[in-house]
Amino acid sequence: MGKARVLYISYDGMTDNLGQSQVIPYLIGLTQKGYSITILSCEKPLAFEQREKHISALLKKNDISWEPIPYTAKPPIFSTLYDIRMMQKKAKEIVVKQQIELVHCRSYISAHIGRFCQKEFGIPWVFDMRGFWADERVEGGIWNTSKWMYRLVYNYFKNAEKEFITKSNYIISLTKNGAEEIQSWTEYQQAKTPIQVIPCCADLHLFRYNKNLDSVRKKLHISESNFVVSYLGSFGTWYMTEEMFDFFKVLYEKNNNAVFLCITPDNPDKLDSIAIRKDIPRSALRVVKANREDVPLYASLSNWSLFFIKPVYSKKASSPTKMGELLSLGIPLVCNGGVGDVDTIMKDCDQGYVVNSFTENEYAAVAEKILLDLNPNREKLRSVAEKYYSLERGVELYEEVYRNCLSD
């Protein structure tokens, strides 16, 4: 019996950080388990120019085919419709040429193509929803539904969501919380499409604590006497930038040897201006941009790490990638509840604090505790990452989904 042929469709690019952390590692694992995989992705021009050779070599080395097409950003909405049309056209070519047996769609834009392939060719498809996308865009301030056009787009995608939930062969939810919410929907109760929960897994081989920090300390002017609180990833949208800087300000007032290390692709000037506005000295802020492979080194400087995410409806289905990565490094966390399965996971951590009220008093109480807690139990924290975020376990669950779809 030959290898089962799978088309993986992603509107996120493989040259984006997200593609490198949350797509390629899974697909390498699935290829090693005997699947023949082709990726169809939309690539942003600048990232593609910078990383195309690296990604091409990585995929070729792992026997994964890649069919990148350009991502178009403007004009809003119409560019997305154009991209859907181009992805559909390309997917049709790939399906016919390679006799694809299963289509795996990452999020809602790609799901349009999975549904098209199902109707056109009778191919089973997986709706890997990655969260409640339409609601995320409203709650993240990307779509303003007081404007008729965005209201129309939101309603369109909520209707499409119902179709994807009922017509796909399998649903992937990032969280148990999200899966339970889907199961309460009237449309779902009629279709009973199988759901598998697979969080944003972490590559535990890559994310290992690094003890050799002399050179990176020197580069960033961070001494061993500094108390380092880190933030990993982009700011804004659902991430509560103001509140995180407020927390650090309270901490800094208690220990002016504290440093806020931001490992982020964001503009340093923007973060500088926030710090200045909040009377945080520029000397207490470090901003560094890192390729994925360098993130564990920079993050290993952390005494603690911080993230606050808006605890809104759509975030029931959200699995913060950074959580698994930081726990893999054995770094204790300060975060907030009401997001995906974060509360459940934090209960398993011997170290770590969940903030719920975003008040100065609560920040002060947590800051005092973490400033006294200088000995992270890295092995225990990593064991929590292994329990919830193991990439190997994620690959096994995806393989089970593939097997079930192909045997129907």
Side-chain angles (χ1 to χ4, degrees):
M1 182 178 162
K3 291 182 178 181
R5 296 175 295 279
V6 179
L7 173 59
Y8 185 99
I9 305 175
S10 174
Y11 196 43
D12 295 301
M14 297 303 103
T15 51
D16 294 342
N17 284 338
L18 195 140
Q20 292 165 58
S21 68
Q22 286 303 311
V23 177
I24 293 172
Y26 296 96
L27 298 185
I28 289 173
L30 286 161
T31 302
Q32 289 166 352
K33 289 187 177 291
Y35 291 91
S36 174
I37 295 174
T38 299
I39 302 171
L40 168 58
S41 61
C42 279
E43 300 295 328
K44 297 171 186 71
L46 183 60
F48 188 70
E49 185 184 326
Q50 292 172 342
R51 304 283 283 173
E52 185 265 335
K53 284 184 182 175
H54 171 75
I55 299 300
S56 286
L58 176 64
L59 294 174
K60 189 174 182 181
K61 177 185 169 187
N62 287 282
D63 203 23
I64 296 172
S65 301
W66 185 28
E67 298 282 353
I69 64 171
Y71 167 86
T72 44
K74 294 177 182 178
I77 300 168
F78 296 102
S79 59
T80 305
L81 294 173
Y82 174 79
D83 286 344
I84 289 172
R85 179 72 188 128
M86 292 299 101
M87 291 170 82
Q88 188 173 296
K89 186 180 174 185
K90 191 68 178 176
K92 192 172 180 178
E93 287 175 19
I94 296 166
V95 166
V96 171
K97 186 178 177 182
Q98 299 189 21
Q99 297 181 300
I100 294 295
E101 298 167 80
L102 174 66
V103 178
H104 183 163
C105 301
R106 179 186 170 82
S107 196
Y108 287 53
I109 300 295
S110 302
H112 286 83
I113 294 89
R115 179 72 176 123
F116 164 78
C117 292
Q118 183 185 46
K119 289 193 280 191
E120 189 85 356
F121 302 104
I123 298 172
W125 70 288
V126 176
F127 178 34
D128 197 342
M129 64 191 305
R130 319 307 298 173
F132 302 152
W133 187 72
D135 294 294
E136 280 183 337
R137 296 184 85 71
V138 172
E139 292 175 340
I142 300 166
W143 291 351
N144 180 358
T145 48
S146 66
K147 296 181 178 176
W148 70 268
M149 184 175 278
Y150 285 112
R151 195 159 58 247
L152 201 70
V153 171
Y154 173 75
N155 290 333
Y156 168 81
F157 275 102
K158 287 303 285 183
N159 284 323
E161 179 180 71
K162 292 173 187 174
E163 184 178 3
F164 301 154
I165 289 289
T166 55
K167 300 298 183 185
S168 58
N169 296 76
Y170 236 99
I171 300 162
I172 308 293
S173 171
L174 293 173
T175 67
K176 286 183 181 177
N177 201 346
E180 286 165 6
E181 175 65 18
I182 295 164
Q183 286 163 342
S184 74
W185 298 347
T186 306
E187 298 78 24
Y188 177 84
Q189 287 168 4
Q190 293 165 355
K192 301 282 188 195
T193 308
I195 299 183
Q196 181 62 267
V197 175
I198 307 175
C200 290
C201 295
D203 185 341
L204 272 69
H205 297 293
L206 175 62
F207 282 85
R208 288 184 178 278
Y209 179 73
N210 195 322
K211 293 178 183 175
N212 302 315
L213 298 172
D214 290 347
S215 61
V216 72
R217 281 190 189 283
K218 191 174 179 182
K219 179 183 174 183
L220 296 180
H221 306 289
I222 293 175
S223 74
E224 288 192 43
S225 63
N226 287 125
F227 185 89
V228 181
V229 175
S230 66
Y231 173 77
L232 173 59
S234 297
F235 285 92
T237 317
W238 308 282
Y239 288 98
M240 301 170 74
T241 308
E242 296 290 320
E243 289 81 356
M244 288 189 279
F245 272 83
D246 287 340
F247 176 87
F248 180 76
K249 182 184 178 182
V250 170
L251 180 95
Y252 182 81
E253 286 170 353
K254 293 181 180 298
N255 181 349
N256 59 18
N257 222 12
V259 167
F260 193 15
L261 170 62
C262 303
I263 307 164
T264 179
D266 291 10
N267 185 340
D269 294 340
K270 177 183 157 190
L271 302 181
D272 276 354
S273 66
I274 296 170
I276 290 164
R277 176 159 50 80
K278 294 188 180 289
D279 293 324
I280 296 169
R282 179 62 187 85
S283 59
L285 186 66
R286 305 287 188 281
V287 181
V288 61
K289 185 177 180 180
N291 288 326
R292 174 171 157 74
E293 57 270 22
D294 299 321
V295 167
L297 175 64
Y298 288 109
S300 291
L301 290 166
S302 315
N303 292 96
W304 284 72
S305 200
L306 169 70
F307 66 83
F308 295 156
I309 300 172
K310 287 181 185 177
V312 290
Y313 168 77
S314 63
K315 292 289 122 182
K316 285 185 177 190
S318 180
S319 170
T321 307
K322 56 176 68 57
M323 188 173 194
E325 293 174 344
L326 292 162
L327 289 173
S328 297
L329 295 168
I331 296 168
L333 304 175
V334 175
C335 57
N336 65 291
V339 175
D341 297 333
V342 166
D343 293 87
T344 303
I345 295 163
M346 287 300 287
K347 280 175 187 169
D348 262 6
C349 295
D350 288 351
Q351 282 174 302
Y353 295 96
V354 176
V355 166
N356 288 305
S357 64
F358 306 109
T359 61
E360 195 170 320
N361 283 344
E362 190 165 359
Y363 296 160
V366 172
E368 282 175 12
K369 288 172 185 172
I370 72 171
L371 284 167
L372 295 171
D373 194 346
L374 300 175
N375 297 305
N377 191 329
R378 299 200 190 279
E379 284 183 20
K380 276 200 172 181
L381 290 168
R382 186 173 168 87
S383 72
V384 176
E386 287 167 350
K387 177 179 176 180
Y388 289 99
Y389 294 107
S390 157
L391 179 63
E392 286 76 14
R393 177 67 180 143
V395 169
E396 284 171 11
L397 292 172
Y398 273 120
E399 187 193 17
E400 190 179 307
V401 169
Y402 281 15
R403 252 194 339 261
N404 290 335
C405 286
L406 291 162
S407 64
D408 285 348

